Amino acid sequence: MKEFRIAVLPGDGIGPEVMQEALKVLDAVEQRFGIRCVRQDAAVGGAAIDAHGSALPEATIHTCENSQAILFGSVGGPKWEHLPPDQQPERGALLPLRKHFGLYANLRPAIIFPQLRDASPLKPEIIGSQLDILVVRELTGGIYFGQPKGIESDRAYDTMIYTRLEVERIARVAFEAARSRGKLVHSIDKSNVLNSSILWREVVLEVARDYPDVELKHLYVDNAAMQLVVRPSQFDVILCGNLFGDILSDEAAMITGSLGMLPSASIAGSGSDGIPFGLYEPSGGSAPDIAGHGVANPIAQILSAAMMLKYSFGQDEAYQTIFTAISDVLSEGYRTGDIASDGTTRVGTAEMGDLIAGKV
Amino acid sequence: MKEFRIAVLPGDGIGPEVMQEALKVLDAVEQRFGIRCVRQDAAVGGAAIDAHGSALPEATIHTCENSQAILFGSVGGPKWEHLPPDQQPERGALLPLRKHFGLYANLRPAIIFPQLRDASPLKPEIIGSQLDILVVRELTGGIYFGQPKGIESDRAYDTMIYTRLEVERIARVAFEAARSRGKLVHSIDKSNVLNSSILWREVVLEVARDYPDVELKHLYVDNAAMQLVVRPSQFDVILCGNLFGDILSDEAAMITGSLGMLPSASIAGSGSDGIPFGLYEPSGGSAPDIAGHGVANPIAQILSAAMMLKYSFGQDEAYQTIFTAISDVLSEGYRTGDIASDGTTRVGTAEMGDLIAGKV
Ligand SMILES: CC(C)[C@H](C(=O)O)[C@@H](O)C(=O)O
Ligand SMILES: CC(C)[C@H](C(=O)O)[C@@H](O)C(=O)O
């Protein structure tokens, strides 16, 4: 029996409730596929600030180091918003985790389940018959981490910097992904203004030579923000640096109309065990306003677990099974409040988890 | 009779054709309001590269220096795309013009004419009853111009830098604008990650104290990109730095569905004559694919002239008259091809100009 070690970091707000459902589905997957995910809990975010004085305690880092993947809930809430930004739950936990574990490749699918097409803010004729975008965002470089950065009395600055190596490895992730999908990469930059973008475009063009079967297009980031709204179906894989990826992945997620459905993966290179370490988390936030009421949509968290099985543990079939289970449950008309519409059956967080686990 | 001096820079693509219509409307305004705009033509963009070897020839700068405002068409096209980015028409003309004339305040309205509501890619219930956003973008600072920037063999970098003074003066523009509109400013930053954004937020908060009648909200740029798609009607004035403003103003323009309708103003502080120097141009591009066919929509260019009359020359009534003329022509069902729909009357560029000038 294959055994994997995962760190479970539920976090704040709806994190703990939706995590419970993801673990329920994971139980079902273990039974069905004869694998085991040994779980170790750890505190993160606001909960960790309250209990241990830091959004990312040492003990949590250790737990993660002893694991092969992190299943992450969500962090943040009004309670901690008075803190300085770098001590707040989001910033104080996510950025150090990404850097510490070298999680350079952020994969953020923006898909529309056919059953939920009506939820998009875009007109049906704009959405077209299908929407399946994968945003590949560089996550440990760019202006998020570039030095020097500082605040003086009368000015403040940050450095957007990319090395050839950083661009090359994230570009490869995008082209590899495109190869098993729609065979199209849109690389995003602002090379008409930024030097870092000129290098970005140059390196992406070099990498593209190794993928003659994949088509490459370049878009300026401002144009990309427009095209996502006006013709989203033209996209397959969108390749971006850290800052542009932050903006465009959120915009892409929003046009699906189902933020509560979307998972994300943040992946490092393979470790000595051959397993790519990764952090898997919902794309949406901790939704403190509905936390504790048992009404949150657990699907993004469940899909995050599915991505973990696929990208870190190579269990493509388990991934596909979970995906199909979700699709079936939606087809049968079950919805949590955030995605409910006329003629559907409203269920709570736990019931949705039960239904999906049952299908698995 | 009041006399103003303007530099007319038609540029490339549809630029010259739509400029002709804007000047036609300006003729009508001069007659009606007893003012005069003395015009001097100058070459810019690809046309200037072809004729003089540079996207912004010295002679053009001189013409602009001798004027009180620039009426700008649009620049760029496939013919010049092989050039290095900083010699291309867009980059090579616009950035130096902005810097040379200190055009630090970019005003980009994103409005939906009620007659064109169907053109938006967003659903009617998302648009709501009205959409009238003004993006106020800082245009001469930030990562566009920050030093150091460079490319080395294995890395490239840019500096996002803001000084207190730069943030303060653009914030004042936004609050002043909000005061005469919906009394709400959304300030955009990424202060959970960027130092320049921390300063940005701090200074905006200080400026806000002088405008107790205007409400201030802060949004992270990623969230703003989402909110524009999902609830655009929450916005009145959006205040951004140079890069974030580039992205969000284009996104905001696109959700109106009528890019060919939207003007923009790039304004400096007042000169010794008390007139704020400004550059006025359509938000859309040079559309080389339809250039020369007499089908382009001249409304963005005409509204750019209207903004010039208002923001540089203080002719608010002339502005309002042009705006109403356009609205009336739309209500009568006249449309250029880009905004035509069933049951409307299709007209060409010149005919649209005639109709609007006629109303004035
Ligand atoms: C919390 C914040 C630092 C983070 C980011 O900007 O990367 C978040 O917006 C995200 O996209 O995961
Ligand atoms: C052409 C380019 C340099 C310019 C910019 O990014 O500022 C354009 O996109 C704009 O918004 O006016």
Side-chain angles (χ1 to χ4, degrees):
Chain A
M1 174 152 76
K2 278 207 191 133
E3 216 176 87
F4 306 105
R5 293 184 313 281
I6 68 171
V8 176
L9 278 55
D12 308 319
I14 60 170
E17 333 167 23
V18 295
M19 183 64 84
Q20 208 169 322
E21 304 316 307
L23 297 178
K24 197 185 271 175
V25 173
L26 209 52
D27 289 340
V29 167
E30 289 182 333
Q31 283 208 343
R32 162 135 184 219
F33 290 93
I35 59 171
R36 250 199 95 199
C37 295
V38 182
R39 304 152 197 194
Q40 212 176 337
D41 271 32
V44 75
I49 295 176
D50 291 350
H52 312 281
S54 149
L56 186 65
E58 275 300 315
T60 298
I61 298 184
H62 284 308
T63 302
C64 295
E65 281 172 343
N66 289 327
S67 307
Q68 295 166 305
I70 304 171
L71 191 56
F72 193 98
S74 49
V75 293
K79 187 173 171 192
W80 306 282
E81 270 166 16
H82 67 281
L83 293 171
D86 59 349
Q87 289 168 33
Q88 284 180 23
E90 299 86 347
R91 159 73 223 246
L94 284 173
L95 296 197
L97 274 173
R98 290 174 190 168
K99 201 67 190 179
H100 185 84
F101 291 99
L103 306 171
Y104 69 89
N106 186 208
L107 309 184
R108 287 192 57 180
I111 55 175
I112 294 190
F113 282 84
Q115 302 90 337
L116 300 178
R117 193 167 313 158
D118 289 350
S120 170
L122 297 177
K123 288 178 178 159
E125 64 269 30
I126 299 280
I127 298 288
S129 63
Q130 211 210 348
L131 192 75
D132 180 356
I133 301 174
L134 179 67
V135 179
V136 174
R137 168 188 176 195
E138 201 288 329
L139 203 59
T140 52
I143 200 167
Y144 274 58
F145 296 97
Q147 291 293 342
K149 55 167 68 203
I151 303 199
E152 295 162 14
S153 63
D154 67 331
R155 68 187 59 220
Y157 49 92
D158 302 273
T159 301
M160 185 181 279
I161 181 164
Y162 268 113
T163 65
R164 253 174 210 287
L165 283 177
E166 284 172 329
V167 181
E168 196 192 320
R169 67 179 178 178
I170 192 69
R172 287 202 186 279
V173 172
F175 280 95
E176 288 291 338
R179 192 164 253 181
S180 64
R181 297 173 37 106
K183 301 197 166 36
L184 172 62
V185 170
H186 278 86
S187 172
I188 310 303
D189 64 42
K190 186 77 193 177
S191 62
N192 52 349
V193 176
L194 303 179
N195 281 300
S196 47
S197 281
I198 293 176
L199 180 76
W200 177 276
R201 192 176 280 215
E202 195 180 303
V203 176
V204 170
L205 274 164
E206 276 167 31
V207 171
R209 283 198 217 115
D210 293 343
Y211 299 85
D213 51 326
V214 176
E215 190 185 357
L216 169 65
K217 296 187 178 179
H218 304 278
L219 271 189
Y220 295 139
V221 60
D222 46 333
N223 193 13
M226 295 203 283
Q227 295 302 321
L228 271 174
V229 174
V230 83
R231 211 157 62 78
S233 58
Q234 72 189 284
F235 294 109
D236 174 29
V237 171
I238 301 181
L239 166 63
C240 329
N242 206 341
L243 180 62
F244 296 160
D246 178 43
I247 300 168
L248 296 182
S249 64
D250 270 347
E251 184 183 342
M254 206 44 136
I255 62 176
T256 68
S258 313
L259 199 55
M261 306 286 296
L262 299 178
S264 79
S266 305
I267 304 176
S270 295
S272 55
D273 52 3
I275 289 183
F277 189 84
L279 180 154
Y280 301 87
E281 62 174 325
S283 279
S286 61
D289 47 320
I290 58 161
H293 293 94
V295 298
N297 186 346
I299 294 181
Q301 190 73 57
I302 293 168
L303 279 172
S304 298
M307 284 190 98
M308 174 183 78
L309 291 165
K310 173 171 169 171
Y311 288 98
S312 278
F313 305 150
Q315 304 291 311
D316 290 32
E317 209 187 324
Y319 170 86
Q320 201 46 60
T321 301
I322 296 176
F323 198 91
T324 308
I326 292 170
S327 191
D328 288 350
V329 169
L330 292 174
S331 291
E332 288 170 10
Y334 297 106
R335 305 278 189 276
T336 44
D338 58 318
I339 53 173
S341 59
D342 284 358
T344 59
T345 312
R346 223 177 156 118
V347 296
T349 310
E351 206 179 335
M352 183 56 97
D354 289 339
L355 285 161
I356 295 167
K359 294 273 176 204
V360 168
Chain B
M1 174 152 74
K2 277 205 192 135
E3 214 175 88
F4 306 104
R5 294 184 313 281
I6 68 172
V8 176
L9 279 54
D12 308 318
I14 60 171
E17 331 167 26
V18 295
M19 184 63 85
Q20 209 170 322
E21 304 315 308
L23 296 178
K24 198 185 272 174
V25 174
L26 209 51
D27 289 340
V29 167
E30 289 181 332
Q31 283 209 341
R32 164 136 181 218
F33 291 92
I35 59 171
R36 249 199 95 200
C37 295
V38 183
R39 306 153 196 192
Q40 210 175 340
D41 270 32
V44 76
I49 294 176
D50 291 352
H52 311 281
S54 148
L56 185 65
E58 274 301 313
T60 299
I61 297 183
H62 284 308
T63 303
C64 295
E65 281 171 344
N66 289 328
S67 307
Q68 295 165 304
I70 304 171
L71 191 56
F72 193 97
S74 48
V75 293
K79 187 173 172 193
W80 305 282
E81 270 165 15
H82 67 280
L83 294 171
D86 59 348
Q87 288 168 35
Q88 285 180 23
E90 298 88 346
R91 159 74 224 242
L94 284 173
L95 296 197
L97 275 173
R98 291 173 189 168
K99 200 68 189 179
H100 185 86
F101 291 99
L103 307 170
Y104 69 88
N106 187 208
L107 309 185
R108 287 191 56 181
I111 56 174
I112 294 190
F113 282 85
Q115 303 91 337
L116 301 177
R117 193 168 312 158
D118 289 350
S120 170
L122 297 176
K123 289 178 177 159
E125 64 268 33
I126 298 281
I127 297 288
S129 63
Q130 210 209 350
L131 193 74
D132 181 355
I133 300 175
L134 179 67
V135 179
V136 175
R137 168 188 176 196
E138 201 288 329
L139 203 59
T140 52
I143 200 167
Y144 274 57
F145 295 98
Q147 291 295 342
K149 56 167 68 204
I151 303 199
E152 296 162 13
S153 63
D154 67 332
R155 69 187 59 221
Y157 49 92
D158 302 274
T159 301
M160 185 182 278
I161 181 163
Y162 268 113
T163 65
R164 252 173 211 287
L165 282 177
E166 284 172 331
V167 181
E168 194 191 320
R169 68 179 178 179
I170 192 70
R172 287 201 186 280
V173 172
F175 280 96
E176 289 292 338
R179 193 163 252 181
S180 65
R181 297 174 36 105
K183 301 197 167 35
L184 172 62
V185 170
H186 278 86
S187 171
I188 311 303
D189 64 43
K190 186 77 192 175
S191 62
N192 51 349
V193 176
L194 304 179
N195 281 301
S196 47
S197 281
I198 293 176
L199 180 75
W200 178 276
R201 193 177 279 215
E202 195 180 302
V203 176
V204 171
L205 274 164
E206 276 166 30
V207 171
R209 281 197 219 117
D210 294 343
Y211 299 85
D213 51 326
V214 176
E215 189 185 359
L216 168 64
K217 296 186 179 181
H218 304 278
L219 271 189
Y220 294 140
V221 60
D222 47 333
N223 193 14
M226 296 203 282
Q227 295 302 322
L228 271 175
V229 174
V230 82
R231 211 157 62 78
S233 59
Q234 73 189 283
F235 294 109
D236 174 29
V237 171
I238 301 181
L239 164 63
C240 328
N242 207 340
L243 180 62
F244 297 160
D246 178 43
I247 300 168
L248 295 183
S249 64
D250 270 348
E251 185 184 342
M254 206 44 137
I255 62 175
T256 68
S258 312
L259 200 55
M261 306 285 295
L262 299 179
S264 78
S266 305
I267 304 175
S270 294
S272 55
D273 52 3
I275 288 184
F277 190 84
L279 180 155
Y280 301 85
E281 62 175 325
S283 280
S286 61
D289 48 320
I290 59 163
H293 292 93
V295 297
N297 186 346
I299 295 181
Q301 190 73 56
I302 293 168
L303 279 172
S304 299
M307 282 190 99
M308 174 182 79
L309 291 166
K310 173 172 171 171
Y311 288 98
S312 278
F313 304 150
Q315 303 292 310
D316 290 33
E317 209 188 322
Y319 170 86
Q320 200 47 58
T321 301
I322 297 177
F323 197 91
T324 308
I326 292 170
S327 190
D328 288 349
V329 169
L330 292 175
S331 291
E332 288 170 11
Y334 297 105
R335 305 278 190 275
T336 43
D338 58 318
I339 53 172
S341 59
D342 284 358
T344 60
T345 313
R346 223 176 156 120
V347 297
T349 309
E351 206 178 335
M352 182 57 97
D354 289 340
L355 285 162
I356 296 167
K359 294 272 175 203
V360 167

